[in-house]
Amino acid sequence: MGITRRDFLKYTGLASASAGVAGVPYFKSVMAMGTKPEKEATYVNTFCEICFWNCGAVAKVVDGKVVKLEGQPGNPASKGKLCARGNAGMGSLYDPDRLKTPMLNVGKRGEPKWKKVSWDEALTFIAGKMAKIKETYGPEAVSLISHGTGGSFWKELLYAYGSHNYTAPSFAQCRGPRDIGYLVTFGAAPGSPEQIDMGNSKFIVLIGSHLGENAHNSQVQDFVDGISKGAKLLVVDPRFSIAAGKANWWLPIRPGTDMALLLAWINVIVNEELYDREYIGKYAMGLNELKAEVAQYTPEWAAQETDIPAATIVATAREMARYKPGVVIHPGRHTAWYGDDTQRGRAMAILTALLGAWGREGGNFFPTKEKGTIAPYPNIPALPEPEKPNLTGSWPYALEATTTAMRATTISGDPYPVKGWLVYGSNIMKTMPNQKETIEALRKLDLVVVVDIMPFEHIDWADVVLPEATYLERYDDIKVGKGKSLMYAIRQPVVQPMFESKPSWWIVKELSRKMGLEAYFPWKDMEENIKTRLEAAGVSFEELKKKGTIGFPDTAKPFITADNEPEFGTDSGKIELYSKALKDKGFDPVPKYTRPEMPPSGYFRLIYGRSPLHTFSRTTNNQWLAELYGENVLWLSARKAQSLGLKNGEYVVLENQDGAKSNKIKVKATERIREDCVYMVHGFGNRSKDLTRAYNKGADDQSLITRYAVDPLMGGTGMRVNFVKIVKEA
């Protein structure tokens, strides 16, 4: 079928944007399509950073420009395919709104006045500030907030400086609660990517997990494989998600009552003796105590709490048990919901154990025990030991410094002052709840450094902004994957860095020299670093560059066999259905249910999620992805919309229980959501005017999350405890 250049521009959305991007090399090349023969292409292996699945990718480069990205066949994260975000990766590379030069803020935080400076000026400023903080308060007064591959270099610099206050939103605001729940139960976390064998599963349970919307590539492919082979699907969600559209059972649960459903399922499986007796008898302890504790949580009781009929609770529990052990109870990913999130994760782990699914085909597999042989670069000095403890707060199961504790300590100065934040690849205005607290903390700092690719709104609170090269312009460290088997993957420059952007390895190496820490970064450049370490491990650098990924399938031992018995890192060495360790620390040894607060009259519970076309806020300015999904919408029950006099597509404003208001957002009146809640995709409503496509598009859910419930075990911030009312736009 023929297509004209004019039609191509119209269909891709480039025509309307051509004036703003005509000077950008990639868009110039696109608009020249059809005017001359294509030059010879080269293909370069890398791995993606548009989300944190890090799929293997192959870049097609013509005349020094990336013109296409495809999935890398040999990489287990991509399996030869990329999602829409991965395919649109060069949209970030060639975004004209990119950060281009280092900048110093000569105005106030929050009201910046930017001065373009050289790299030498910017790094000299940072080194001087960090030296003064260390001399006055000690090295622990500087913290790193990081999310992304390049953050590993900043972590090394922080440790060399003498602070271990490294924190990532992925712990307190995302995966941390479920990780601790599984660690307490099995002595191991469920992994990232999650170590679930959905492609071979007989029964899949999703509890608030939006597969197909949360587009984690290989996992979605495995999910599709499992369903296509006949796996039964049960979805628990107050919203009829994409996954729910494929389900055998959709349970539209009352938000906040997931624990009640889990405990009722456990009650049925234990009392009807539907659990895997041989497996539990051999590998678990505490069954009798568990049975006694869950006796009160009957299906009839749970029906009153969850809005799910008792007969349905019983029937679905029996169905799960019928397909054991090939059952996946998806552990979830963003699990910081209501404040009891670690115990909810533990209830999911206990259910997994009762079905005998941990370490069994079609359930949860064991990651390879092979650690790999790639050692650190030789002759690096030992890192200094921190003089003061990390900022883990008062939570005994906080395995690392948490954003929550770091922010609170910055405000209070207790247990010691925090005076500097290094922020890498994390839009802190959209990752932590209660933006006012974040701003209060930022005002108390002596130094705020932001390292990023795009001018998201958090740069307005920085003293220094450093433009990082995109993943298509840089080397990062070797990726060591530990799924069923070991694999190594390489990220290498596909094209040279644009503007004055630099890769983090270069920034950190130069900064270390100014700080007197260059001994910790003795290598010439990242290529030499990688090549040296690969050769020491007996792996060919040139072969890895050529293949992109090298796998070692002989290292796979994913399931329990006679010669591969499981090991459990718990105190008892067994699966702990009843946890003495929790009891000794003053917590419930078996999860208990606490009824959540319900929305006041006239209010809805605010829930949020993901789009398959976006990664948080980091892709909302991407040319192609913004064209496909440029603003989020408010899912609202059609019946409620009618009663409020709202029409589909009408703009409204949300106001939460504390009076915080959102940007305007478009109503999506639908039968696919309960009447007591509203839903929106996270990451929109960006307030940075430097983002020409994303500025003020849609509503920022995080601006409405002024309250949060702190998990007492690990300090996670439960953020689904906010209520909103709908205000018609004037």
Side-chain angles (χ1 to χ4, degrees):
M1 185 177 75
I3 185 169
T4 67
R5 178 173 174 271
R6 180 182 296 275
D7 284 341
F8 174 83
L9 295 175
K10 181 175 70 175
Y11 296 151
T12 58
L14 289 173
S16 61
S18 60
V21 300
V24 180
Y26 178 72
F27 292 101
K28 270 185 165 182
S29 70
V30 168
M31 288 187 280
M33 285 180 65
T35 63
K36 57 184 178 180
E38 184 179 282
K39 295 183 179 180
E40 185 176 350
T42 57
Y43 296 85
V44 185
N45 287 294
T46 186
F47 58 87
C48 186
E49 189 81 7
I50 296 297
C51 87
F52 307 105
W53 213 250
N54 293 152
C55 294
V58 181
K60 180 181 180 181
V61 183
V62 177
D63 197 21
K65 304 174 185 68
V66 183
V67 298
K68 191 177 183 183
L69 292 167
E70 297 178 333
Q72 193 185 102
N75 185 282
S78 52
K79 299 183 178 181
K81 299 179 177 68
L82 291 180
C83 71
R85 297 171 297 179
N87 275 290
M90 62 270 199
S92 297
L93 170 65
Y94 295 119
D95 194 321
D97 293 340
R98 271 183 63 176
L99 294 170
K100 300 176 177 66
T101 64
M103 297 186 295
L104 287 181
N105 184 0
V106 295
K108 298 178 180 178
R109 290 198 195 120
E111 301 174 20
K113 294 180 180 178
W114 296 113
K115 176 186 175 184
K116 294 181 180 179
V117 295
S118 67
W119 276 102
D120 185 69
E121 288 177 280
L123 298 180
T124 299
F125 178 88
I126 295 168
K129 285 283 190 178
M130 290 184 70
K132 187 174 181 180
I133 290 172
K134 187 174 187 177
E135 179 183 354
T136 307
Y137 304 104
E140 64 280 348
V142 173
S143 290
L144 169 64
I145 307 169
S146 175
H147 206 184
T149 308
S152 62
F153 303 107
W154 291 94
K155 186 177 181 180
E156 289 175 24
L157 180 70
L158 184 78
Y159 283 18
Y161 175 74
S163 172
H164 281 215
N165 280 325
Y166 161 81
T167 181
S170 56
F171 184 72
Q173 278 79 49
C174 192
R175 296 185 288 108
R178 67 109 202 247
D179 285 357
I180 301 305
Y182 279 69
L183 276 166
V184 169
T185 308
F186 296 110
S192 179
E194 291 76 28
Q195 293 140 11
I196 47 180
D197 192 32
M198 283 194 295
N200 297 307
S201 184
K202 306 298 182 187
F203 199 102
I204 299 169
V205 181
L206 303 181
I207 302 175
S209 291
H210 308 146
L211 288 182
E213 295 169 65
N214 195 354
H216 290 146
N217 189 347
S218 59
Q219 195 169 101
V220 174
Q221 292 188 56
D222 289 344
F223 177 59
V224 171
D225 286 347
I227 297 299
S228 67
K229 292 177 185 176
K232 304 297 183 183
L233 175 62
L234 190 162
V235 172
V236 181
D237 201 317
R239 182 178 65 95
F240 192 76
S241 63
I242 289 175
K246 317 298 178 188
N248 302 87
W249 297 270
W250 171 48
L251 309 187
I253 194 168
R254 177 183 288 135
T257 65
D258 308 81
M259 180 75 89
L261 175 62
L262 286 161
L263 293 171
W265 275 340
I266 292 170
N267 173 297
V268 173
I269 288 170
V270 169
N271 284 322
E272 296 189 7
E273 297 188 355
L274 301 174
Y275 54 89
D276 189 322
R277 294 188 192 185
E278 182 180 357
Y279 181 94
I280 292 297
K282 187 174 183 180
Y283 299 122
M285 55 82 65
L287 178 63
N288 290 335
E289 293 90 339
L290 174 68
K291 184 176 181 179
E293 290 286 343
V294 301
Q296 60 185 306
Y297 302 120
T298 65
E300 292 72 22
W301 164 85
Q304 298 299 313
E305 297 293 322
T306 64
D307 262 3
I308 298 168
T312 302
I313 295 173
V314 173
T316 49
R318 289 171 179 170
E319 282 293 293
M320 268 185 264
R322 184 157 75 95
Y323 289 97
K324 67 179 183 294
V327 180
V328 165
I329 311 294
H330 196 298
R333 195 160 184 91
H334 169 67
T335 57
W337 294 354
Y338 302 111
D340 62 347
D341 306 303
T342 295
Q343 290 283 25
R344 188 182 72 253
R346 194 164 134 64
M348 294 167 72
I350 290 169
L351 184 60
T352 297
L354 291 171
L355 297 169
W358 188 262
R360 308 289 282 278
E361 186 174 5
N364 297 65
F365 66 82
F366 298 138
T368 177
K369 295 179 182 178
E370 176 60 52
K371 295 180 179 179
T373 55
I374 299 178
Y377 194 86
N379 302 319
I380 293 179
L383 292 167
E385 289 293 325
E387 296 180 4
K388 295 181 180 178
N390 295 351
L391 294 172
T392 55
S394 59
W395 307 296
Y397 287 93
L399 300 182
E400 58 187 60
T402 66
T403 50
T404 316
M406 180 272 300
R407 185 176 67 181
T409 296
T410 302
I411 294 170
S412 69
D414 182 29
Y416 50 77
V418 172
K419 292 295 181 180
W421 285 9
L422 307 175
V423 182
Y424 173 84
S426 180
N427 184 350
I428 55 176
M429 303 309 292
K430 286 195 166 36
T431 55
M432 291 187 279
N434 197 319
Q435 293 172 350
K436 286 185 178 180
E437 287 185 13
T438 301
I439 291 170
E440 183 182 358
L442 286 163
R443 293 191 189 280
K444 290 181 175 286
L445 294 165
D446 293 345
L447 176 66
V448 181
V449 178
V450 168
V451 186
D452 218 315
I453 292 164
M454 298 297 297
F456 301 115
E457 64 256 66
H458 67 310
I459 75 165
D460 286 352
W461 298 91
D463 301 313
V464 191
V465 173
L466 304 179
E468 188 184 31
T470 70
Y471 75 95
L472 293 168
E473 302 166 299
R474 70 187 196 229
Y475 278 108
D476 275 326
D477 204 355
I478 305 156
K479 182 172 182 63
V480 180
K482 295 182 180 180
K484 289 182 179 178
S485 59
L486 179 70
M487 71 92 182
Y488 301 142
I490 192 168
R491 172 176 287 156
Q492 56 186 319
V494 173
V495 292
Q496 291 303 305
M498 295 177 64
F499 314 113
E500 294 181 45
S501 66
K502 298 287 186 182
S504 272
W505 68 260
W506 182 93
I507 303 171
V508 165
K509 185 172 171 61
E510 288 298 304
L511 183 55
S512 72
R513 184 172 56 80
K514 292 181 178 292
M515 296 171 65
L517 300 172
E518 61 268 32
Y520 294 96
F521 305 91
W523 26 271
K524 174 187 172 185
D525 54 32
M526 202 58 203
E527 181 172 348
E528 190 246 334
N529 177 313
I530 293 172
K531 188 173 183 179
T532 299
R533 292 159 60 213
L534 285 173
E535 287 178 352
V539 178
S540 167
F541 175 66
E542 293 303 324
E543 183 184 6
L544 186 56
K545 286 181 67 177
K546 184 178 179 180
K547 292 182 176 179
T549 302
I550 295 177
F552 302 87
D554 58 324
T555 61
K557 290 187 177 180
F559 303 117
I560 297 171
T561 62
D563 60 354
N564 188 42
E565 286 290 340
E567 297 176 0
F568 302 103
T570 56
D571 290 346
S572 65
K574 291 191 172 229
I575 299 169
E576 298 196 353
L577 307 177
Y578 177 97
S579 172
K580 185 176 181 297
L582 284 180
K583 185 177 181 181
D584 290 345
K585 289 181 171 65
F587 300 110
D588 295 324
V590 171
K592 289 185 178 179
Y593 175 74
T594 301
R595 181 177 295 158
E597 181 184 359
M598 294 301 167
S601 176
Y603 283 78
F604 305 85
R605 186 181 299 276
L606 175 64
I607 59 176
Y608 49 85
R610 299 281 297 278
S611 162
L613 296 169
H614 288 289
T615 303
F616 317 131
S617 63
R618 69 163 46 199
T619 55
T620 53
N621 204 64
N622 183 293
Q623 166 72 30
W624 293 281
L625 301 178
E627 179 75 19
L628 293 168
Y629 193 82
E631 61 182 299
N632 56 359
V633 295
L634 183 74
W635 288 49
L636 173 67
S637 155
R639 181 177 169 183
K640 282 291 185 181
Q642 184 178 26
S643 70
L644 293 170
L646 298 173
K647 296 179 181 179
N648 200 43
E650 181 178 357
Y651 279 103
V652 296
V653 169
L654 300 178
E655 182 178 339
N656 81 351
Q657 70 284 328
D658 297 322
K661 290 186 178 181
S662 72
N663 290 355
K664 65 179 184 178
I665 185 170
K666 208 179 274 186
V667 169
K668 176 186 175 74
T670 176
E671 302 289 349
R672 294 170 56 193
I673 192 168
R674 287 177 56 100
E675 293 186 9
D676 53 4
C677 57
V678 293
Y679 168 86
M680 67 173 73
V681 169
H682 168 71
F684 285 84
N686 205 299
R687 290 178 170 84
S688 171
K689 294 181 180 179
D690 295 321
L691 297 171
T692 56
R693 283 179 290 276
Y695 174 61
N696 267 347
K697 293 292 180 67
D700 175 17
D701 61 316
Q702 209 68 23
S703 68
L704 298 166
I705 298 175
T706 54
R707 296 184 185 179
Y708 53 94
V710 179
D711 189 294
L713 278 79
M714 49 66 65
T717 52
M719 293 182 282
R720 295 188 178 181
V721 295
N722 289 269
F723 307 112
V724 295
K725 64 180 179 181
I726 298 172
V727 181
K728 276 196 175 186
E729 195 189 20

Tab-separated table of all heavy atoms in Angstrom, residues 377-410:
chain	number	residue	atom	x	y	z
A	377	TYR	N	36.380	-3.966	39.410
A	377	TYR	CA	37.641	-3.553	38.789
A	377	TYR	C	38.763	-3.731	39.810
A	377	TYR	O	38.588	-3.443	41.002
A	377	TYR	CB	37.545	-2.090	38.348
A	377	TYR	CG	38.645	-1.676	37.406
A	377	TYR	CD1	38.517	-1.887	36.040
A	377	TYR	CD2	39.805	-1.072	37.879
A	377	TYR	CE1	39.515	-1.505	35.161
A	377	TYR	CE2	40.810	-0.686	37.013
A	377	TYR	CZ	40.666	-0.907	35.657
A	377	TYR	OH	41.662	-0.542	34.781
A	378	PRO	N	39.930	-4.228	39.393
A	378	PRO	CA	40.996	-4.556	40.354
A	378	PRO	C	41.617	-3.320	41.014
A	378	PRO	O	41.598	-2.222	40.461
A	378	PRO	CB	42.022	-5.297	39.489
A	378	PRO	CG	41.776	-4.831	38.089
A	378	PRO	CD	40.298	-4.591	38.005
A	379	ASN	N	42.135	-3.565	42.211
A	379	ASN	CA	42.964	-2.598	42.946
A	379	ASN	C	42.217	-1.329	43.359
A	379	ASN	O	42.808	-0.250	43.449
A	379	ASN	CB	44.215	-2.219	42.126
A	379	ASN	CG	45.058	-3.437	41.785
A	379	ASN	OD1	45.246	-4.319	42.615
A	379	ASN	ND2	45.546	-3.488	40.550
A	380	ILE	N	40.907	-1.464	43.608
A	380	ILE	CA	40.153	-0.337	44.163
A	380	ILE	C	40.244	-0.401	45.690
A	380	ILE	O	40.059	-1.478	46.268
A	380	ILE	CB	38.688	-0.378	43.696
A	380	ILE	CG1	38.609	-0.123	42.185
A	380	ILE	CG2	37.845	0.643	44.439
A	380	ILE	CD1	37.224	-0.165	41.604
A	381	PRO	N	40.547	0.689	46.350
A	381	PRO	CA	40.680	0.656	47.819
A	381	PRO	C	39.387	0.218	48.499
A	381	PRO	O	38.292	0.362	47.953
A	381	PRO	CB	41.011	2.115	48.178
A	381	PRO	CG	41.444	2.761	46.911
A	381	PRO	CD	40.772	2.029	45.795
A	382	ALA	N	39.525	-0.316	49.698
A	382	ALA	CA	38.349	-0.682	50.485
A	382	ALA	C	37.561	0.578	50.828
A	382	ALA	O	38.136	1.629	51.130
A	382	ALA	CB	38.776	-1.394	51.765
A	383	LEU	N	36.247	0.469	50.753
A	383	LEU	CA	35.394	1.614	51.051
A	383	LEU	C	35.413	1.914	52.545
A	383	LEU	O	35.477	0.992	53.374
A	383	LEU	CB	33.959	1.333	50.605
A	383	LEU	CG	33.736	1.238	49.101
A	383	LEU	CD1	32.355	0.654	48.803
A	383	LEU	CD2	33.881	2.598	48.435
A	384	PRO	N	35.356	3.185	52.916
A	384	PRO	CA	35.320	3.508	54.351
A	384	PRO	C	34.034	3.020	54.993
A	384	PRO	O	32.980	3.019	54.365
A	384	PRO	CB	35.403	5.041	54.361
A	384	PRO	CG	34.905	5.474	53.016
A	384	PRO	CD	35.306	4.386	52.064
A	385	GLU	N	34.138	2.598	56.238
A	385	GLU	CA	32.954	2.176	56.977
A	385	GLU	C	32.183	3.414	57.452
A	385	GLU	O	32.787	4.370	57.941
A	385	GLU	CB	33.344	1.329	58.187
A	385	GLU	CG	33.853	-0.054	57.828
A	385	GLU	CD	32.771	-0.921	57.217
A	385	GLU	OE1	31.602	-0.803	57.632
A	385	GLU	OE2	33.101	-1.706	56.303
A	386	PRO	N	30.857	3.412	57.292
A	386	PRO	CA	30.088	4.576	57.765
A	386	PRO	C	30.185	4.705	59.284
A	386	PRO	O	30.175	3.703	60.003
A	386	PRO	CB	28.660	4.263	57.310
A	386	PRO	CG	28.623	2.786	57.141
A	386	PRO	CD	29.994	2.372	56.716
A	387	GLU	N	30.264	5.935	59.758
A	387	GLU	CA	30.398	6.170	61.189
A	387	GLU	C	29.054	6.143	61.903
A	387	GLU	O	28.988	5.905	63.106
A	387	GLU	CB	31.098	7.512	61.432
A	387	GLU	CG	32.537	7.539	60.917
A	387	GLU	CD	33.218	8.875	61.176
A	387	GLU	OE1	32.590	9.751	61.815
A	387	GLU	OE2	34.373	9.038	60.748
A	388	LYS	N	27.985	6.426	61.155
A	388	LYS	CA	26.650	6.460	61.759
A	388	LYS	C	25.712	5.560	60.965
A	388	LYS	O	25.926	5.331	59.773
A	388	LYS	CB	26.124	7.894	61.809
A	388	LYS	CG	26.953	8.801	62.719
A	388	LYS	CD	26.404	10.211	62.769
A	388	LYS	CE	27.256	11.094	63.682
A	388	LYS	NZ	26.767	12.493	63.710
A	389	PRO	N	24.663	5.041	61.601
A	389	PRO	CA	23.774	4.086	60.918
A	389	PRO	C	22.980	4.738	59.790
A	389	PRO	O	22.767	5.957	59.768
A	389	PRO	CB	22.838	3.617	62.041
A	389	PRO	CG	22.866	4.728	63.044
A	389	PRO	CD	24.249	5.289	62.994
A	390	ASN	N	22.553	3.905	58.837
A	390	ASN	CA	21.732	4.376	57.728
A	390	ASN	C	20.382	4.863	58.229
A	390	ASN	O	19.921	4.486	59.309
A	390	ASN	CB	21.505	3.251	56.717
A	390	ASN	CG	22.782	2.824	56.045
A	390	ASN	OD1	23.813	3.452	56.202
A	390	ASN	ND2	22.711	1.746	55.298
A	391	LEU	N	19.726	5.652	57.400
A	391	LEU	CA	18.429	6.226	57.767
A	391	LEU	C	17.312	5.234	57.457
A	391	LEU	O	16.590	5.348	56.469
A	391	LEU	CB	18.219	7.545	57.019
A	391	LEU	CG	19.198	8.651	57.418
A	391	LEU	CD1	19.057	9.845	56.493
A	391	LEU	CD2	18.988	9.072	58.869
A	392	THR	N	17.179	4.259	58.331
A	392	THR	CA	16.139	3.241	58.165
A	392	THR	C	14.942	3.498	59.065
A	392	THR	O	13.984	2.721	59.062
A	392	THR	CB	16.703	1.845	58.481
A	392	THR	OG1	17.285	1.861	59.791
A	392	THR	CG2	17.763	1.449	57.466
A	393	GLY	N	14.979	4.577	59.839
A	393	GLY	CA	13.866	4.868	60.732
A	393	GLY	C	13.792	3.846	61.852
A	393	GLY	O	14.763	3.171	62.187
A	394	SER	N	12.617	3.713	62.435
A	394	SER	CA	12.421	2.795	63.564
A	394	SER	C	11.848	1.459	63.124
A	394	SER	O	11.340	0.707	63.949
A	394	SER	CB	11.475	3.450	64.589
A	394	SER	OG	10.224	3.750	63.976
A	395	TRP	N	11.926	1.164	61.833
A	395	TRP	CA	11.289	-0.015	61.281
A	395	TRP	C	12.289	-1.160	61.190
A	395	TRP	O	13.276	-1.087	60.450
A	395	TRP	CB	10.700	0.324	59.908
A	395	TRP	CG	9.823	1.531	59.997
A	395	TRP	CD1	8.655	1.650	60.696
A	395	TRP	CD2	10.064	2.811	59.408
A	395	TRP	NE1	8.133	2.915	60.571
A	395	TRP	CE2	8.979	3.654	59.781
A	395	TRP	CE3	11.069	3.332	58.586
A	395	TRP	CZ2	8.893	4.980	59.379
A	395	TRP	CZ3	10.980	4.653	58.183
A	395	TRP	CH2	9.908	5.458	58.581
A	396	PRO	N	12.057	-2.246	61.914
A	396	PRO	CA	13.065	-3.306	62.006
A	396	PRO	C	13.339	-4.032	60.700
A	396	PRO	O	14.398	-4.652	60.548
A	396	PRO	CB	12.478	-4.264	63.056
A	396	PRO	CG	11.013	-3.980	63.065
A	396	PRO	CD	10.874	-2.533	62.739
A	397	TYR	N	12.405	-3.977	59.756
A	397	TYR	CA	12.600	-4.691	58.493
A	397	TYR	C	12.899	-3.735	57.329
A	397	TYR	O	12.749	-4.113	56.173
A	397	TYR	CB	11.373	-5.548	58.176
A	397	TYR	CG	11.278	-6.770	59.065
A	397	TYR	CD1	10.532	-6.732	60.243
A	397	TYR	CD2	11.943	-7.947	58.747
A	397	TYR	CE1	10.440	-7.842	61.065
A	397	TYR	CE2	11.868	-9.062	59.560
A	397	TYR	CZ	11.118	-9.006	60.720
A	397	TYR	OH	11.038	-10.117	61.539
A	398	ALA	N	13.351	-2.528	57.645
A	398	ALA	CA	13.836	-1.624	56.595
A	398	ALA	C	15.249	-2.077	56.235
A	398	ALA	O	16.198	-1.857	56.990
A	398	ALA	CB	13.823	-0.188	57.084
A	399	LEU	N	15.401	-2.721	55.093
A	399	LEU	CA	16.683	-3.307	54.709
A	399	LEU	C	17.657	-2.276	54.164
A	399	LEU	O	18.833	-2.563	53.975
A	399	LEU	CB	16.460	-4.395	53.646
A	399	LEU	CG	15.562	-5.560	54.063
A	399	LEU	CD1	15.481	-6.576	52.946
A	399	LEU	CD2	16.084	-6.207	55.344
A	400	GLU	N	17.168	-1.082	53.884
A	400	GLU	CA	18.016	-0.020	53.361
A	400	GLU	C	17.438	1.298	53.837
A	400	GLU	O	16.341	1.351	54.393
A	400	GLU	CB	18.041	-0.063	51.837
A	400	GLU	CG	16.664	0.065	51.204
A	400	GLU	CD	16.677	-0.143	49.696
A	400	GLU	OE1	17.077	-1.221	49.233
A	400	GLU	OE2	16.283	0.804	48.989
A	401	ALA	N	18.211	2.355	53.653
A	401	ALA	CA	17.677	3.678	53.952
A	401	ALA	C	16.405	3.885	53.137
A	401	ALA	O	16.330	3.493	51.975
A	401	ALA	CB	18.714	4.743	53.611
A	402	THR	N	15.398	4.457	53.749
A	402	THR	CA	14.140	4.665	53.047
A	402	THR	C	13.948	6.145	52.730
A	402	THR	O	14.409	7.020	53.470
A	402	THR	CB	12.931	4.187	53.881
A	402	THR	OG1	12.811	5.024	55.036
A	402	THR	CG2	13.093	2.743	54.307
A	403	THR	N	13.267	6.411	51.624
A	403	THR	CA	12.962	7.796	51.282
A	403	THR	C	12.176	8.464	52.404
A	403	THR	O	12.366	9.647	52.702
A	403	THR	CB	12.149	7.855	49.983
A	403	THR	OG1	11.036	6.956	50.075
A	403	THR	CG2	12.984	7.462	48.784
A	404	THR	N	11.304	7.683	53.040
A	404	THR	CA	10.471	8.206	54.118
A	404	THR	C	11.329	8.695	55.282
A	404	THR	O	11.162	9.818	55.772
A	404	THR	CB	9.511	7.114	54.622
A	404	THR	OG1	8.950	6.430	53.507
A	404	THR	CG2	8.398	7.702	55.465
A	405	ALA	N	12.259	7.843	55.728
A	405	ALA	CA	13.119	8.211	56.855
A	405	ALA	C	14.077	9.330	56.472
A	405	ALA	O	14.352	10.236	57.275
A	405	ALA	CB	13.894	6.986	57.329
A	406	MET	N	14.601	9.269	55.240
A	406	MET	CA	15.540	10.290	54.786
A	406	MET	C	14.883	11.665	54.765
A	406	MET	O	15.453	12.664	55.216
A	406	MET	CB	16.068	9.904	53.406
A	406	MET	CG	17.063	10.865	52.788
A	406	MET	SD	16.267	12.160	51.831
A	406	MET	CE	15.408	11.203	50.600
A	407	ARG	N	13.651	11.725	54.260
A	407	ARG	CA	12.951	13.005	54.210
A	407	ARG	C	12.627	13.509	55.612
A	407	ARG	O	12.816	14.700	55.926
A	407	ARG	CB	11.674	12.869	53.383
A	407	ARG	CG	10.946	14.177	53.165
A	407	ARG	CD	9.731	14.005	52.262
A	407	ARG	NE	8.691	13.194	52.884
A	407	ARG	CZ	7.533	12.879	52.303
A	407	ARG	NH1	7.282	13.297	51.070
A	407	ARG	NH2	6.628	12.154	52.933
A	408	ALA	N	12.142	12.610	56.481
A	408	ALA	CA	11.789	13.008	57.848
A	408	ALA	C	13.018	13.500	58.608
A	408	ALA	O	12.951	14.490	59.357
A	408	ALA	CB	11.140	11.838	58.583
A	409	THR	N	14.134	12.822	58.412
A	409	THR	CA	15.370	13.231	59.088
A	409	THR	C	15.865	14.566	58.567
A	409	THR	O	16.380	15.393	59.323
A	409	THR	CB	16.446	12.144	58.905
A	409	THR	OG1	16.008	10.944	59.546
A	409	THR	CG2	17.770	12.565	59.514
A	410	THR	N	15.708	14.799	57.276
A	410	THR	CA	16.110	16.089	56.700
A	410	THR	C	15.322	17.223	57.348
A	410	THR	O	15.863	18.299	57.635
A	410	THR	CB	15.881	16.091	55.181
A	410	THR	OG1	16.629	15.011	54.590
A	410	THR	CG2	16.333	17.398	54.557
